[in-house]
Amino acid sequence: MVSNYPFKHIFLGGTIDSFHAGHKEYIDLAHALAERVTFSLHSAGFAQSRQHGKPYEVKPFGERYEAIVDYLDAQGWLERCEIWECQSEADVEKFISDERFDAMLVLKEDLEIRLRINEERKKKYAIVIKPRTVDASGEDVSSTKLRS
């Protein structure tokens, strides 16, 4: 069977707090690129640890998980996607070292660490960079801005 997708299995991750248009674009792009999608959803503790001591409140994991599942279900993609809980940077490295993945979707700010991990992998994967989503005024769309 010939695939209509450039990749077999793509990996992506994030906190996904206050589900917004940027998150939808991220998930849409992953599903346009690969037959299978694995999403690493950050635990609240891991999301906080990545803020370098700055206060960072996120919705409970279950609420964020359900927002993604609801969106995937509405798009008809539940069967093509797995969602894993990520509790540490070690989890990220373990997930993306999984040999099933042949591509990773990243935001520019995460590119450096993903390139380092890719160098360590036996089987290299393609790295696709997703540009940040901006609103009509050209401002970055983010959960932090939506909360304020």
Side-chain angles (χ1 to χ4, degrees), residues 8-128:
K8 287 188 180 297
H9 200 156
I10 197 165
F11 177 89
L12 67 153
T15 303
I16 310 294
D17 192 39
S18 301
F19 197 74
H20 57 67
H23 298 136
K24 291 176 183 177
E25 284 182 8
Y26 195 38
I27 293 169
D28 292 354
L29 181 55
H31 282 85
L33 291 170
E35 293 174 32
R36 296 280 309 149
V37 175
T38 295
F39 193 95
S40 169
L41 182 60
H42 299 163
S43 69
F46 182 53
Q48 176 62 49
S49 74
R50 298 185 81 199
Q51 300 306 311
H52 309 290
K54 298 176 200 161
Y56 189 69
E57 301 268 337
V58 296
K59 293 178 181 173
F61 181 87
E63 190 174 325
R64 294 178 291 119
Y65 178 91
E66 286 302 320
I68 296 169
V69 167
D70 289 348
Y71 184 70
L72 292 170
D73 190 35
Q75 302 304 311
W77 294 334
L78 271 177
E79 296 298 317
R80 292 179 47 209
C81 189
E82 293 177 71
I83 303 172
W84 295 347
E85 183 175 9
C86 179
Q87 297 184 13
S88 67
E89 195 60 45
D91 281 351
V92 173
E93 293 192 30
K94 178 182 73 176
F95 297 154
I96 62 179
S97 66
D98 186 316
E99 295 295 320
R100 294 177 299 160
F101 305 127
D102 59 345
M104 175 167 213
L105 182 58
V106 302
L107 298 174
K108 186 177 178 182
E109 59 265 27
D110 294 326
L111 181 59
E112 185 177 320
I113 191 167
R114 303 307 177 236
L115 288 171
R116 179 184 59 77
I117 292 169
N118 201 28
E119 282 182 24
E120 297 170 8
R121 281 175 52 104
K122 291 178 189 142
K123 178 183 171 193
K124 305 295 186 220
Y125 52 61
I127 296 178
V128 179

